[in-house]
Amino acid sequence: MRIAVPHHTTRAKARKIIDKRVKNAEKQYGHLATDFDCEWESDVLCVKVKAKGITAKGTLEITESEVIIDGKLPLIALPFEKKIRAAVEKEAESMFA
């Protein structure tokens, strides 16, 4: 699943917005995850989360004009891909509105 959202700001500001949202998500949902790993590699945030035995992995890449979210859904989540995509798009757009 690949989603691109314009950020209308600088890479540095976009990174701060993403860092803040990731920290809030970890505080809010961290109790549900047995493994939560986020690491920046230049302008790419690599994310790995394991919850209830299901592992999700993905990246958030910051370019000059957009944030590209790229993730592979676990097989069990594929029937919900449209709903997941819509929720991720809505959340990403609200971050950079």
Side-chain angles (χ1 to χ4, degrees):
M1 182 170 56
R2 186 175 173 90
I3 300 168
V5 178
H7 60 65
H8 310 291
T9 188
T10 65
R11 286 182 185 207
K13 287 181 183 178
R15 184 173 176 153
K16 286 181 184 180
I17 292 168
I18 292 168
D19 278 337
K20 183 177 179 182
R21 189 58 61 105
V22 167
K23 287 177 186 174
N24 287 340
E26 189 174 9
K27 285 179 187 177
Q28 188 174 359
Y29 302 108
H31 66 284
L32 299 173
T34 55
D35 185 19
F36 189 85
D37 185 38
C38 294
E39 187 176 325
W40 284 101
E41 295 176 6
S42 186
D43 285 332
V44 178
L45 178 63
C46 300
V47 180
K48 180 181 174 187
V49 178
K50 185 174 182 179
K52 297 188 179 186
I54 299 171
T55 300
K57 297 178 186 179
T59 59
L60 286 86
E61 178 183 1
I62 304 171
T63 69
E64 287 297 323
S65 61
E66 60 190 6
V67 174
I68 301 168
I69 304 161
D70 195 6
K72 187 171 183 179
L73 292 176
L75 188 59
I76 195 165
L78 288 180
F80 309 103
E81 182 175 2
K82 284 185 180 181
K83 287 185 179 186
I84 293 168
R85 175 181 289 280
V88 171
E89 286 174 342
K90 183 178 178 182
E91 181 70 19
E93 289 169 0
S94 74
M95 289 170 59
F96 298 105

